[in-house]
Amino acid sequence: MAVGPRQTNSNNRYDPAKDFTQDQLRRFGHIANQAQSHRDFEKKLMSIKATGESEPELKTKQSKPNRKDTQSLRYALWVFFVLIALLSFMYLTG
């Protein structure tokens, strides 16, 4: 077996500045912020349960559904009903 020269090049192809794109960083930050707020809420919930404080303090954070989620749900329901109507029309005329 032939012995070749020792590899001298280091891993200079890795650039930490190009690790994530701006969109990936934004999405990662959004999810990380949600997780942190969820952890804070759980910690507050556990402390409230441990001390036996009143329940209205627990409902300080009102969770509203995301507008995009409600729009996609509305769209899915409309598509579902239109498909059911078209299938029933096809069944009645066929």
Side-chain angles (χ1 to χ4, degrees):
M1 174 164 34
V3 177
R6 180 180 286 245
Q7 297 290 330
T8 59
N9 62 345
S10 64
N11 193 0
N12 57 0
R13 293 174 294 234
Y14 175 69
D15 184 13
K18 296 180 181 178
D19 201 17
F20 288 117
T21 64
Q22 289 297 325
D23 187 44
Q24 289 172 331
L25 281 173
R26 183 187 56 78
R27 287 187 285 152
F28 177 78
H30 179 71
I31 297 299
N33 289 338
Q34 282 181 340
Q36 182 63 41
S37 65
H38 182 69
R39 283 191 295 268
D40 292 342
F41 182 72
E42 289 294 322
K43 185 187 291 184
K44 188 176 185 179
L45 178 66
M46 294 303 289
S47 68
I48 287 174
K49 284 184 178 179
T51 58
E53 293 180 20
S54 64
E55 287 292 322
E57 292 180 17
L58 180 62
K59 297 179 182 179
T60 57
K61 182 179 178 184
Q62 295 287 332
S63 62
K64 293 192 289 187
N66 193 359
R67 182 177 177 154
K68 187 176 182 181
D69 292 340
T70 56
Q71 287 177 346
S72 61
L73 178 65
R74 188 177 299 149
Y75 177 75
L77 288 174
W78 275 107
V79 168
F80 177 74
F81 287 124
V82 166
L83 288 176
I84 294 296
L86 290 174
L87 281 174
S88 62
F89 177 73
M90 185 176 71
Y91 176 73
L92 291 174
T93 59

